[in-house]
Structures are given as C-alpha cells and as structure tokens.
Amino acid sequence: MTEMSSAAHAAAVGTTGFKAPGTTPGKTPRGYAGGLAAANFGVYLALLTPVMVSMAFKIQHIDPDNADASLGLVLGVGAFFALVCNPLVGRLSDRTTSRWGMRRPWILGGAVVGFGALAVVGVATSVWVVLLAWCLVQASLNAVLAAANATLPDQTPVHSRGKVSGIVGITTPLAILAGSFIVNYLPGDVERFVVPGAIALILAVVFVLVLKDRRLTEKPADRLTVGKFFGSFIFNPRKHPDFGWTWLTKFFVMFGYAGIATYLPYFLQEKFGLDEAAAVSTILVANIASTVAMAVSAPLGGFLSDKFGKRRPFVAIAGAIMVVGLVLLAFAPSIAVVIVAQGIIGLGAGSFLSVDLALATEVLPNPEDTAKDLGVLNIANALPQSIAPAIAPSIIAVGSLTPLGGYPTWYLFGALVALAGAALVYRIKGVK
C-alpha cells in the first residue's frame, strides 16, 4: 500500500474515525471481536445451513428422480465460486479506495446480494435457477468472509490475534448447530433460505456499524493482473516437499469430512425410511453430538500436541478417529448409531483442525509470504467441498448396484480417502 502524508493520516484517524493503512493498533477496538464473530456466524449460518440440510430437501422437492446428481451439480459448482471469490475479494479489498473504507463496502454489499440470492433459491422451481442463484450466494457471502476476516490484522495487535481468532473459530460449529435448529422449526423451503440470509445481513450491518475501517486514499501502484492473482496461490512441491505433503494430508482428510454431510438427509430417508421432518430432527441431534465432540477435542488436541512437542501423531490419530466414525456410519444399524458415528467424526475433526493448523505453520515455505501460503492451504479446505459433491453421484450409483448400497459405499470411500490423508502425514519430515 502507498504511504500516506501526515495530513492524510490525521484526517483518516482523527476527523473521519477511519484507521490509516500502515498504522499498528495498540489494542483491539471495543466491540470489534464480538462484531467480527457475529458477522462470521451469520455468514456460516447462511452458507452451511443449505449445505448441511436444506439444499438436499430443496433439490428433492424440485427434481426427486435425479436428486443425487442435481444436488452434486449445485453444490459442486457453487463451491468452485467460493474457492475463487474468497481470495479474489480479499485482494480487491486491499485496493479499495471507497470513502467508507477498504472492507465495509464488500461486507455490506456481499451480505445484501447474498440475502437476495438466497431468497431466489428459496422460491426457485428449477434446478438451473437454484444453481445460478447458489453460485451468486457463494460468491457474495465469501466476499463478506474475505473482507471481514481481512480486518483482523487491521484492527488487532499481534499479541491479541490468537484470542480473537479463537472467538471467531467457534462460530462455525455454532452456525451448523443453529442452522439445524432453524430448519427443524421452519417447514417451508423459502423460510429455510430467507431466514438464515436475513440473520447474516443483520449481523453484517451490525459489524459494519461498529467497524472503524481503514481507508486507502490512493490505489497501490502495482496492478493486480489475472496472472499475478493466480500465480500467488501456486507453490513448488519439489522445492518445498513438506508443504506439499501437508497440503495433500489436509485435502484428503477434509474430503472425508466434507463428503459426509451433504448426502446425510438422503441416507437417513433411504436407510431408515424417515420422512423429511424426522430426518431433519435426526440431523439436529447428530449435529449436537458432533459439535459437543468438536468443542472437547479441538482444545484438547492442541494442548496435548504442544505438551508432547509432536504434531504428526496427533494429526494421524485424529484422521483415524474420523475413519472409524465414517465406517460406523456406513454400517449403522440404527439412528442411535448414526448419532454416535457423527459424534466420533466430530471428535476426530475437532482435533485434526486444531493440530493441523499448528503443523502447517511449521512448514510454510517463506516467512515473508505467510498469508499467501496459508491461502494455498485454504484451497485444500475448500476444494474437497467442490470435488466431493461432483463425484458422489457416480460413486453412489455404482454402490447402489452392490449389496452394501449407494450411500454406505460413499461413506466407505470417504473413509478410505481420509485414511490415506492420515497416513500421508508421515511423509512430512521437518516436523515431529
């Protein structure tokens, strides 16, 4: 970013209430951490409620004969938009010279567009309309996430960022749980999409109102070209093999985790003959079990990893625990076992996510490009959410021809992929 004159600096900080680029905050502004957490909660509520529950039923209502394939198409293509738009808007917000600040226009604008697109999904009667609207939802709400989370280094000193990040981190499981409650009490498709979108919009507005955003008065001299944008998310695995194995470990384990939720409603209906209301109630209880398990295992895994000074064994064990849960889910003879299996998966996922991040920070190729390299690792989190729904219909179709059945075959496939990820962590040589 360009250097500001002292006069411009004074104007940005004193008379407008905006922070100037390049200034380091002495302490986190009052209300900022809560506002950022609220904005993240709202966005994840609006994004994950459809992914976990409501989109499956929406597609089933529109296209019951091809629900598997249509759901995979909608979620797979939509996740691709999330993959691209999140880093793109992050870069664009760094260069925004609006009088309202660098981040606030993207946060508010993305929330408004996302709410409108969710309303379109709710009223849509065509899979293609749902697909187009969902892509817009993913693009706009990931713009909110990118701009909102980019405020962390703007607003918080280094020594306080871990605490703020921890507060924000718990919003994801809380949003999943809240979304399950919402769907359980809202019987209509329109309400199941509009209500989470409205909550996201309201919380985004609250965050915009409390945020003393930075304001950029001049655009950076270097242009953001397409080549520069995509080039910044590429690394050389031969030059940095530990980073490459870390990426693959994360990708495989997250594939096993991301692949389970999307088709759980259909699995419950086919395996146990549940109607829509009973399936929604079961998913709520299963998500409670998973969230409680994650809340226990995430801090415990991180603590034990620090205590013993080892990362790889804990990542491997966490992945193996998820494998056990996925296998148990595939062969579940009752609803009670499904809930237990979801709790086991959550137990492994919570520990994996906490320890894996600590491991990743020890294998970053260049300390001067931490943000870029973490962006590369974020692709390993997001990409399975696009690939898994895209290939799931084919695996489910093949599995349906076997005695095991389509959805159990899908869960066993996810277990094998997650197991590969747990094993690959030992290819990382620079970390214990």
Side-chain angles (χ1 to χ4, degrees), residues 43-64:
V43 172
Y44 284 123
L45 179 70
L47 282 175
L48 296 180
T49 301
V51 171
M52 301 291 286
V53 190
S54 53
M55 186 63 80
F57 292 120
K58 175 68 180 181
I59 295 297
Q60 192 176 60
H61 298 159
I62 296 175
D63 188 16

Side-chain angles (χ1 to χ4, degrees), residues 58 101 109 128 142 246 266 283 292 309 318 341 375 381 393 407-408:
K58 175 68 180 181
W128 290 106
N142 271 277
T246 301
Y266 296 164
I283 292 170
V292 170
N381 282 334
Y407 298 110

Side-chain angles (χ1 to χ4, degrees), residues 240-381:
H240 306 287
D242 279 354
F243 188 73
W245 289 118
T246 301
W247 194 98
L248 281 176
T249 297
K250 181 185 288 286
F251 174 85
F252 283 145
V253 175
M254 291 306 297
F255 184 98
Y257 181 63
I260 64 165
T262 301
Y263 290 93
L264 185 60
Y266 296 164
F267 171 68
L268 293 173
Q269 289 180 317
E270 180 184 275
K271 174 85 172 183
F272 303 104
L274 302 184
D275 60 19
E276 184 174 318
V280 169
S281 298
T282 301
I283 292 170
L284 170 60
V285 177
N287 284 338
I288 291 174
S290 179
T291 301
V292 170
M294 289 181 73
V296 171
S297 65
L300 181 61
F303 170 77
L304 292 175
S305 175
D306 285 343
K307 181 177 178 61
F308 290 100
K310 296 180 182 294
R311 309 296 186 194
R312 296 186 305 175
F314 290 95
V315 170
I317 291 170
I321 291 172
M322 291 176 60
V323 170
V324 171
L326 286 165
V327 172
L328 186 61
L329 182 61
F331 294 102
S334 66
I335 296 296
V337 176
V338 170
I339 294 170
V340 171
Q342 290 286 78
I344 293 173
I345 293 168
L347 191 70
S351 180
F352 174 81
L353 292 172
S354 62
V355 181
D356 175 69
L357 180 59
L359 184 151
T361 60
E362 298 180 30
V363 299
L364 297 178
N366 187 347
E368 297 180 358
D369 289 328
T370 298
K372 185 268 286 185
D373 293 331
L374 289 176
V376 172
L377 288 174
N378 283 336
I379 294 174
N381 282 334

